[in-house]
Amino acid sequence: MVEKKFTVLDLLSMELHGHDEIALRCIAGRSGLTRAITIPDINRPGLALSGFFDSFAYQRVQLFGRGEVAYLNKLAGENDLESLQTFFSFQIPCCIFTHDLIPPQPFLKLAEESNCCILVSSLESTELSNRLIRLFTNVFAPRKTMHGVLVEVFGEGILLCGHSGVGKSETALDLVERGHRLVADDIVEIRCVNGNTILGTGANSLISHHMEIRGLGIINVSQLYGVGAIREQKEIQLVVELEEWNSEKVYDRIGTGQRTMDLLGVKVPSIEIPVKPGRNLPIIIEAAAMNERLKKMGYNSARDFNQNVLKWIETGEAQAAYYGQDDKY
């Protein structure tokens, strides 16, 4: 599992776009940009500003909205800085002001003296809170790297696993040729988001959409098949384990049992597909993806087949099929 130190400078330097953009700029306390953010949450410091510091969550990023700024202006006007001095005596990661609000000069002076970075965003408080929590959830998510290929087939994120040389990349290339999308080849970085969702992406964004095909070499999937053949990340919803066909091994032929693989504490459905000449792996994987979608919609083919067989046996038609009239007497 990867340990990651995340600093205020990392937060300020992140290139985010669209609904993820937080639009931060630093206005004071630049010497505190190297402070680490260790807790993926935020705190509204209203009680602390009023002088109540019991259970003060100082380890979190402190978020100031219109109400907090109005109170800061009141304290500055009355020259009552005692609570602010106590506030900055804690090792606070940073303070973020919303609505493009600028704190009063005494606050900025104390921030500079205590090496606490002051950031400003044009977003409103609620929206910035949601975006920060979403960002922190992603940054601090447990993660690790795996050897495999991640593809999207009919909207399902499928992680192809198996020993080197079993045919993962060739199978993925065939799936891309059939109109599906590649997420990452060879090294896949997975992370657990919200405790129950496993997201996969390329461990290196510069080479994640390149594939190594034995006998052919390195190919760039986005250049060969267009940007529609790739995507940056995808939830892993099914693990397909490819292995060389073993004639002495008994493989599942009905599918009533549900196999899972543990990925960062989350049980992800998995299937085992034996590989041998003549088997069309892309079609099998497409069928597995559609079957997994059916299961999520409440229909289980194997369970339905089993129930129909039991009903057929109960009706007595099974006996008539296997025993003649003479066998009944």
Side-chain angles (χ1 to χ4, degrees), residues 4-12 28-39 56 58-62 86-95 110-119 136 140:
K4 184 179 180 67
K5 181 180 178 181
F6 187 71
T7 66
V8 179
L9 181 59
D10 293 326
L11 175 64
L12 195 62
R30 286 178 173 80
S31 56
L33 287 173
T34 56
R35 286 191 180 181
I37 299 174
T38 59
I39 296 182
F56 175 39
Y58 67 90
Q59 307 96 330
R60 303 180 184 180
V61 170
Q62 306 297 311
T86 306
F87 177 82
F88 282 111
S89 67
F90 292 88
Q91 190 74 3
I92 296 169
C94 67
C95 299
L110 289 172
E112 288 282 0
E113 294 174 353
S114 60
N115 299 321
C116 181
C117 189
I118 306 300
L119 307 177
F136 289 153
F140 289 93

Side-chain angles (χ1 to χ4, degrees), residues 73 79 91 109 205 209 238 273 286 288 298 305 312 316 325 329:
N73 289 328
N79 199 28
Q91 190 74 3
K109 182 179 178 182
S205 59
H209 297 134
L238 178 66
I273 298 180
E286 285 180 338
F305 173 80
W312 180 57
Q325 293 295 323
Y329 303 100

Side-chain angles (χ1 to χ4, degrees), residues 286-318:
E286 285 180 338
M290 290 188 287
N291 191 50
E292 191 64 26
R293 293 188 66 181
L294 279 175
K295 288 181 181 179
K296 293 177 181 178
M297 296 170 65
Y299 178 78
N300 190 310
S301 302
R303 185 177 59 201
D304 187 64
F305 173 80
N306 191 46
Q307 291 175 349
N308 288 337
V309 170
L310 291 175
K311 290 178 182 179
W312 180 57
I313 293 175
E314 291 173 356
T315 59
E317 294 180 9

Side-chain angles (χ1 to χ4, degrees), residues 196 198 260-269:
N196 60 359
I198 300 296
T260 60
M261 176 180 287
D262 188 287
L263 299 179
L264 297 174
V266 178
K267 301 293 185 182
V268 179

Side-chain angles (χ1 to χ4, degrees), residues 36 43 53 57 88 104 106 127 152 165 167 218 231 258 289 291-292 307:
N43 181 59
F53 290 94
F88 282 111
E127 183 61 28
E152 181 192 61
I218 304 295
R231 66 174 299 166
Q258 179 64 60
N291 191 50
E292 191 64 26
Q307 291 175 349

Side-chain angles (χ1 to χ4, degrees), residues 169-184:
S169 295
E170 290 82 357
T171 302
L173 182 61
D174 207 341
L175 288 168
V176 170
E177 179 70 32
R178 296 171 66 87
H180 306 294
R181 295 197 281 182
L182 173 72
V183 181

